[in-house]
Amino acid sequence: MNISMIGTGYVGLVSGTCFAETGNHVLCVDINEEKVQMLQSGQLPIYEPELEHIFERNTKAGRLHFTTDLQKAVAHADIIFLALPTPPGEDGSADLSYILGVARDLSKMITNYKVIVDKSTVPVGTAERVHAALAEHLDPQLFDVVSNPEFLREGVAVEDFMKPDRVVVGTTSPKAQALMKQLYEPFVRQGNPIYFMDERSAEMTKYAANSYLATRISFMNEIANLCERVGANVDDVRLGIGSDLRIGKRFLFPGIGYGGSCFPKDVQALAKTAEEYDYDFKILKSVMQVNTLQKQIMVEKLQTYYNNELAGKHFAIWGLSFKPNTDDIREAPSLHIINGLLALGATVCCYDPEAMDHIKKIFGNSIQYAENPYDALTDADALLILTEWNLFRTPDFQKLSNHLKSKTIFDGRNIYSMEQMNELGFYYESVGRKTIKQ
Ligand SMILES: NC(=O)c1ccc[n+]([C@@H]2O[C@H](COP(=O)([O-])OP(=O)(O)OC[C@H]3O[C@@H](n4cnc5c(N)ncnc54)[C@H](O)[C@@H]3O)[C@@H](O)[C@H]2O)c1
C-alpha cells in the first residue's frame, strides 16, 4: 500500500518505519525542515531501541522516504495518517489546531478517495471534527476518517508496533475498515486482535488506557508513601499484590511521579472532557494531584535530611529522561527536581546516556553536565537517581564512594537492594522502603 505519515515524531517515525517494514511504500512528512534533512541523510532524530536497523533497511530498499511537501504526500498515499502533536491547551483540553489545520489543508489537495487516519491521541468527537474540516472543500465520497489510536511505549516502541497487544480501529465505513484490516494483518499474525468499533469508542479507548495506567502509578505511589510511614516495604507489597491475576505484575512500580509526553496531558484532557460533559471524574482529579505531589517528594526528602539548608549543597543526578531507553524528557520528574533544587540554592551535575542534549537546551549554563556517570559524582553531597537506566543498576560502588563527598544516595526508582546499601555503608533513601542509616 502507499501510505503517508503526517508528523514524523516518535509515533509517526516509528509507525511509518514499521509500515515500510511490512512492504508498504511510506512517505513521512514533517514541517520541521532540519528533522526531514536529518532523516533524508540517514540519521535518526530520536533515540529508540531497534529503530536504527529497520530504518536503514527500509530507506535502502526505497520503501521509506521523507519530505516537507504535503502535496506530494497526498498524491502518494491511499491512506494518510495524522501523527501530529496534541499538546494541552491553556485550559488542559487537547489542542487540536495541528490536526484540524492539516485536515483543512488536505481538503484542498485531495482529488481521489483516501482514508484519513487519526493516530494522534485525540478527544472524543475529533473524528467528526476532522470529517467536518475535510468536508469544507471536499466531496464526502472522496474520503473516510478513521480513529486508530497508538499504544506504543517509548523505549520499546518498535517491538510494540510490530507485535501490538491489540490494534484499535474506529470506523463505521466498511471500505475504510477493509483497508485498515489489510494494512494491519501482518502485525497480528500471532492472533492478537484488531478491534473494530465506532470512532468515539476508539478515541475513548486510548484515553481510558492511559488514564488507567496513570491511576495504577498514582495508587502505588500512595501505597509507597504509606509504607514509609507504617514501616512496610513496598517492593514486597508490590510482589504480594501483583501475583494476583486480577491485578497483574506490570505497572506497579512506585517512583517519583509519572511524566512523558502522554500520561500527564492525556489524564488532564480526559478530565477536561468529563468537565465538558458535566461529569465529575473524581478519581482522575486525585490521580493528577497525587502525581504533582509525588514529583516534589525527592526535594522534600532532601530538605528534611539537610535541615532545610539546601543552599550551597551540590548534587549528582543520574537519569534525566522520563523513563529508561528514551531520550524524551517531556514532563520528566527530573525537570521538576532540578528546578526545585536550583530554586533552593543547590547546584547540580547530571548524567543521562541519551537525554543530555535535550536537557542542555532547557538548563544551559545553570547546571553542570558530566561525560560519564562517575564524573557527575565528583564532590557531590549526594547522588540522586531519577531514571532507572540499566547502566546505573550495577555500578562500581567503590568508585562511586570515592567520587562522592558523602556516601549518600536518594533513589527515586528503588534500583538498589537495601541489604547491599547497608553492607556497603551508604545512607540510602528510596521510595516506600525503610531508610538505611549507618
Ligand atoms: N510519544 C508516544 O509515546 C505516544 C504514544 C502514543 C500516542 N502518542 C500520541 O501521538 C501524537 C504524536 O506524538 P509524538 O510523541 O509522536 O509527537 P512529536 O512531537 O514527537 O511529533 C510530532 C511531529 O509532528 C510535526 N508537525 C507539527 N505540525 C506539523 C504539520 N503541520 N505538518 C507536518 N508535521 C507537523 C512536528 O514537527 C513533530 O515532528 C500525540 O497525539 C501523542 O499524544 C504518543
Side-chain angles (χ1 to χ4, degrees):
M1 284 175 155
N2 290 329
I3 290 171
S4 286
M5 191 62 64
I6 305 180
T8 311
Y10 283 87
V11 169
L13 180 58
V14 171
S15 312
T17 307
C18 292
F19 281 136
E21 178 73 359
T22 53
N24 300 292
H25 288 267
V26 180
L27 182 56
C28 295
V29 192
D30 208 285
I31 44 164
N32 183 333
E33 286 176 18
E34 199 187 332
K35 190 180 269 191
V36 171
Q37 273 167 15
M38 261 183 103
L39 288 159
Q40 284 171 337
S41 67
Q43 284 170 281
L44 285 175
I46 57 168
Y47 171 73
E48 189 57 52
E50 309 283 319
L51 188 58
E52 204 167 345
H53 72 273
I54 63 165
F55 169 79
E56 254 178 52
R57 183 162 55 230
N58 286 285
T59 45
K60 277 189 189 142
R63 283 192 300 267
L64 181 61
H65 296 277
F66 301 92
T67 184
T68 50
D69 186 347
L70 185 61
Q71 183 89 53
K72 211 166 145 187
V74 171
H76 167 81
D78 312 308
I79 304 180
I80 299 175
F81 280 85
L82 309 181
L84 292 158
T86 48
E90 269 174 27
D91 63 354
S93 63
D95 173 1
L96 291 179
S97 59
Y98 296 86
I99 303 270
L100 297 177
V102 168
R104 277 185 215 106
D105 292 343
L106 293 178
S107 77
K108 295 173 204 143
M109 297 175 180
I110 290 173
T111 52
N112 59 343
Y113 178 78
K114 313 272 180 203
V115 178
I116 314 297
V117 186
D118 276 340
K119 198 158 230 355
S120 299
T121 302
V122 290
V124 174
T126 302
E128 287 150 44
R129 293 181 68 184
V130 170
H131 194 281
L134 285 161
E136 276 177 23
H137 294 279
L138 198 57
D139 176 355
Q141 301 290 326
L142 287 185
F143 70 93
D144 278 306
V145 177
V146 170
S147 169
N148 170 222
E150 181 49 55
F151 297 94
L152 63 78
R153 295 163 295 166
E154 284 177 24
V156 274
V158 171
E159 198 188 318
D160 279 353
F161 198 91
M162 294 306 295
K163 292 180 192 162
D165 291 341
R166 78 313 205 179
V167 175
V168 169
V169 176
T171 178
T172 39
S173 152
K175 192 172 172 183
Q177 181 168 330
L179 277 169
M180 294 299 283
K181 187 162 183 278
Q182 190 185 337
L183 176 65
Y184 273 110
E185 244 156 20
F187 298 90
V188 293
R189 287 240 161 83
Q190 287 173 344
N192 289 349
I194 304 178
Y195 291 119
F196 291 100
M197 55 184 81
D198 63 68
E199 296 83 346
R200 284 184 166 243
S201 304
E203 289 162 344
M204 187 56 147
T205 300
K206 175 65 189 175
Y207 280 103
N210 274 3
S211 297
Y212 176 66
L213 292 169
T215 303
R216 267 171 90 101
I217 295 176
S218 276
F219 176 80
M220 280 312 285
N221 283 336
E222 293 235 271
I223 291 288
N225 295 341
L226 191 54
C227 282
E228 285 176 16
R229 284 157 180 80
V230 301
N233 180 333
V234 75
D235 283 350
D236 293 333
V237 175
R238 173 173 59 76
L239 294 172
I241 64 171
S243 48
D244 184 328
L245 292 179
R246 293 169 302 176
I247 296 174
K249 291 190 173 92
R250 293 165 73 183
F251 243 77
L252 288 179
F253 291 83
I256 44 176
Y258 59 77
S261 67
C262 294
F263 288 179
K265 81 168 172 61
D266 293 348
V267 175
Q268 206 182 4
L270 186 58
K272 193 69 197 166
T273 298
E275 204 182 300
E276 281 160 18
Y277 285 80
D278 280 333
Y279 182 72
D280 184 17
F281 205 143
K282 299 180 196 64
I283 290 178
L284 279 194
K285 289 182 189 162
S286 299
V287 168
M288 290 188 281
Q289 197 189 359
V290 169
N291 198 54
T292 303
L293 296 173
Q294 201 69 14
K295 284 186 177 178
Q296 296 162 9
I297 259 178
M298 174 80 79
V299 175
E300 282 169 12
K301 285 182 175 175
L302 290 167
Q303 277 188 295
T304 306
Y305 182 70
Y306 293 103
N307 298 318
N308 290 321
E309 285 173 16
L310 289 183
K313 293 281 179 302
H314 179 64
F315 297 105
I317 290 184
W318 279 6
L320 302 162
S321 54
F322 82 95
K323 66 173 179 179
N325 301 322
T326 178
D327 60 352
D328 199 340
I329 55 163
R330 290 177 282 186
E331 295 288 327
S334 63
L335 305 179
H336 298 258
I337 291 166
I338 295 173
N339 276 323
L341 292 174
L342 295 182
L344 292 164
T347 54
V348 160
C349 184
C350 61
Y351 177 77
D352 185 283
E354 296 295 338
M356 298 293 270
D357 288 345
H358 295 312
I359 271 291
K360 280 180 191 166
K361 283 184 196 141
I362 294 180
F363 289 102
N365 292 332
S366 59
I367 61 173
Q368 297 164 33
Y369 307 93
E371 297 274 315
N372 65 62
Y374 298 100
D375 282 355
L377 304 169
T378 308
D379 288 333
D381 289 283
L383 165 63
L384 317 182
I385 294 168
L386 306 188
T387 315
E388 66 278 34
W389 285 93
N390 275 342
L391 161 86
F392 304 143
R393 287 183 187 272
T394 47
D396 178 342
F397 282 109
Q398 192 53 51
K399 209 166 156 186
L400 200 150
S401 309
N402 294 345
H403 277 70
L404 281 172
K405 201 155 90 186
S406 151
K407 288 175 73 174
T408 306
I409 299 178
F410 286 80
D411 179 357
R413 303 294 181 179
N414 290 5
I415 63 173
Y416 302 135
S417 88
M418 296 197 295
E419 293 73 23
Q420 189 182 25
M421 289 291 102
N422 196 23
E423 278 165 27
L424 292 169
F426 280 90
Y427 175 91
Y428 179 67
E429 273 198 56
S430 49
V431 182
R433 306 188 296 181
K434 283 189 185 121
T435 297
I436 303 296
K437 298 174 185 169
Q438 300 300 326

